Amino acid sequence: MQSQTDVAWERYLAAKGFPLDGSHYTVLADELKQLGGREPRLMAKFDEPNQLPQPLARAGYTLLPVRNGEYILFPGNLFVPVSDCSHRQIFTSTTPFRLETAGRGQGESQYIDQAYNIGVLSDFVGVSRSELFLTIRGRERTSRFTFRLSQRLFEVDGVQIEVDAGYEAARDIVLIEAKIGARSHFNVRQLYYPFRHFRQLVPVKRVRLIFLAYDLAANHCHLYEVAFRSEEDPTSWHFPACRVYQLQTMHVSHIDDLIDVRFGTQSYVVPQADDINRIVELLDIISSGRQTAQDVADSFGFHLRQSSYYREAAEYLGLVRVQNELYMLTERGERVGAATVDDKRAMLARCIVNSWIFAELIDRARRRPSATFTLKDVDDTIASVRLRGNQRYTSSTIPRRRQTIVAWIRWLSQQFGCFEVHGPEFRLA
């Protein structure tokens, strides 16, 4: 299935007559918009391999900005694979008391602040938190620098960069690129351009690069230090260090600890959205003012249909509503979005446990001496949904919807202990 960006790139390449045969091409933002029919910022945004436009992916090409409004299109791969890190540790917050107002911002910044406040970041970089000062956040333009790629020398000057957070210590500048949820790749440009910029800006200090992935669902913080063996070669990246911090988890001893009718829903759909992190990310996207279906798809790098599944899941949980084709947060969605990082997880758990499907499954389990329900119970509950008198989900769609319900049950089991999973059977804890 083609996305709008795929189609726009096909239009542009056809109009320019670029054969993508191994040559390098200069791409102007004005022409991208005029010939492709889409905003350049959307056509040039691909942070992960699955976001790369199909025409470029098929030809093995990628794109880099070199000046304001100018890019270079060339054969190459700038996606860094994030391998599983074997260094893991359980981490207890070093704050002397619970922070009731921390981690309430939008997007990645709240998760960086959480990592800093509880001591994870200082532990990883080996610098005391009291000696690590937040000095950089947001957008600015690079100074002039050159780098070598595919046997060619490129000059960058005045390209816009965005640093999620930057900290200064006595000897170090620590720049952070953060993502919500565990990631398999990131675009090296997101760290390489800030690295070269601040190396020139502050030559007396070491510039250290950190890729941070905050997996809210698993309550893990993944940290990778990124370095370049050759400063002038962005493909010479390597990971000098990595660590996965398993943060303390709220443990629920009984399912009743999560029962709260205020979190109940009357949305009689069945969600198809396995990743809890994406649901949280959707709330941030809507809060930032990106409220159309296309806005959400562009922000995720998804096709419209795939992004609609997460909107539907957020509606099911009572977090989002659609009005005049705009996505809007409900009062509950606003509360979850504004909650601290720690509280978000507990609130999402209550949203799930009190939703109509889980309420039905829990009721079935309570009526049995074994306090269990099965995969068949899940299927029967999904099959019970009617739309205009007809069965809404058929034998071909029930397994995909079941997969999400089971994924959420496993999440509740692993993170809160309120279910026990025994193969095809689930027991109330």
Side-chain angles (χ1 to χ4, degrees):
M1 182 186 299
Q2 285 190 314
S3 68
Q4 288 192 22
T5 298
D6 295 333
V7 173
W9 268 103
E10 286 183 348
R11 286 197 204 104
Y12 171 80
L13 293 171
K16 294 294 291 184
F18 290 162
L20 303 186
D21 57 0
S23 301
H24 296 66
Y25 307 95
T26 297
V27 175
L28 300 179
D30 289 344
E31 290 187 339
L32 270 182
K33 184 174 183 178
Q34 178 187 355
L35 302 177
R38 191 156 166 75
E39 288 295 330
R41 63 180 177 82
L42 299 175
M43 291 180 69
K45 176 179 169 55
F46 21 88
D47 300 340
E48 300 178 32
N50 65 334
Q51 297 176 351
L52 192 67
Q54 290 181 12
L56 304 189
R58 287 194 299 264
Y61 268 70
T62 193
L63 189 77
L64 272 177
V66 290
R67 284 178 181 78
N68 185 24
E70 182 180 328
Y71 304 86
I72 190 76
L73 182 63
F74 63 96
N77 177 21
L78 295 177
F79 295 112
V80 178
V82 182
S83 57
D84 189 38
C85 181
S86 60
H87 299 285
R88 296 172 177 262
Q89 73 178 72
I90 297 174
F91 190 85
T92 302
S93 173
T94 59
T95 57
F97 50 85
R98 173 182 162 84
L99 300 176
E100 300 289 350
T101 59
R104 297 168 61 252
Q106 289 182 4
E108 290 81 6
S109 63
Q110 61 183 311
Y111 303 101
I112 297 172
D113 291 345
Q114 174 80 347
Y116 173 79
N117 287 330
I118 66 177
V120 160
L121 183 58
S122 59
D123 182 83
F124 183 71
V125 300
V127 178
S128 169
R129 187 174 57 186
S130 64
E131 298 174 354
L132 204 57
F133 298 90
L134 177 66
T135 57
I136 304 163
R137 180 164 277 171
R139 297 172 181 172
E140 57 186 281
R141 294 198 177 274
T142 65
S143 47
R144 181 180 299 167
F145 63 87
T146 60
F147 65 90
R148 190 170 296 278
L149 195 64
S150 299
Q151 308 302 314
R152 285 192 57 175
L153 193 66
F154 296 95
E155 181 181 87
V156 171
D157 188 15
V159 170
Q160 182 175 279
I161 57 174
E162 183 170 6
V163 177
D164 290 330
Y167 296 83
E168 187 167 348
R171 298 178 181 273
D172 297 328
I173 304 292
V174 180
L175 305 179
I176 299 178
E177 172 66 25
K179 300 293 182 185
I180 302 173
R183 298 301 174 102
S184 61
H185 293 79
F186 65 89
N187 192 320
V188 71
R189 176 185 61 80
Q190 295 172 297
L191 284 172
Y192 182 71
Y193 277 26
F195 167 68
R196 293 299 305 275
H197 174 62
F198 284 98
R199 279 282 293 138
Q200 289 188 325
L201 194 64
V202 192
V204 298
K205 293 193 177 185
R206 179 174 59 163
V207 177
R208 300 176 65 183
L209 308 171
I210 307 295
F211 178 72
L212 182 155
Y214 204 111
D215 189 340
L216 186 79
N219 211 21
H220 288 169
C221 189
H222 302 245
L223 290 167
Y224 293 80
E225 183 159 7
V226 183
F228 298 97
R229 294 185 174 90
S230 170
E231 188 172 305
E232 293 192 347
D233 181 1
T235 66
S236 66
W237 55 267
H238 66 111
F239 296 130
C242 71
R243 189 163 300 164
V244 178
Y245 292 89
Q246 180 183 330
L247 309 180
Q248 281 189 320
T249 301
M250 168 189 172
H251 188 79
V252 175
S253 59
H254 196 279
I255 190 69
D256 288 343
D257 294 337
L258 290 176
I259 299 295
D260 187 333
V261 295
R262 293 174 299 175
F263 287 88
T265 62
Q266 298 300 317
S267 177
Y268 287 95
V269 298
V270 182
Q272 184 177 323
D274 297 355
D275 191 344
I276 299 292
N277 289 298
R278 292 292 192 184
I279 296 173
V280 174
E281 196 171 356
L282 175 62
L283 304 185
D284 289 335
I285 290 169
I286 296 171
S287 292
S288 71
R290 292 166 285 175
Q291 295 178 283
T292 69
Q294 191 61 58
D295 286 339
V296 171
D298 291 336
S299 298
F300 278 138
F302 288 167
H303 295 297
L304 273 172
R305 178 183 294 178
Q306 189 178 5
S307 68
S308 72
Y309 290 145
Y310 282 93
R311 182 266 307 157
E312 186 180 65
E315 279 190 294
Y316 167 79
L317 295 174
L319 304 171
V320 169
R321 60 188 172 89
V322 181
Q323 181 175 324
N324 299 326
E325 298 186 350
L326 293 179
Y327 297 173
M328 307 182 75
L329 297 185
T330 62
E331 182 181 347
R332 181 188 303 171
E334 290 177 350
R335 291 203 312 272
V336 173
T340 65
V341 175
D342 289 336
D343 288 344
K344 267 186 176 65
R345 302 175 72 255
M347 292 175 76
L348 285 167
R350 287 187 170 88
C351 287
I352 293 172
V353 165
N354 293 280
S355 65
W356 80 266
I357 296 173
F358 279 76
E360 170 65 24
L361 294 172
I362 290 168
D363 284 346
R364 288 191 183 209
R366 290 193 194 280
R367 292 195 294 268
R368 296 169 181 162
S370 60
T372 62
F373 60 91
T374 66
L375 285 177
K376 184 178 183 305
D377 290 316
V378 176
D379 287 355
D380 289 347
T381 302
I382 297 171
S384 71
V385 180
R386 293 291 184 270
L387 181 64
R388 301 185 187 92
N390 299 316
Q391 184 175 330
R392 182 165 187 166
Y393 302 104
T394 64
S395 57
S396 63
T397 57
I398 286 175
R400 294 196 294 272
R401 306 287 166 154
R402 178 214 304 144
Q403 179 177 310
T404 291
I405 302 305
V406 172
W408 290 6
I409 292 170
R410 291 187 183 278
W411 178 66
L412 291 164
S413 170
Q414 294 164 2
Q415 298 300 312
F416 299 92
C418 55
F419 291 107
E420 296 175 5
V421 179
H422 303 282
E425 188 175 80
F426 311 97
R427 186 187 305 276
L428 304 185

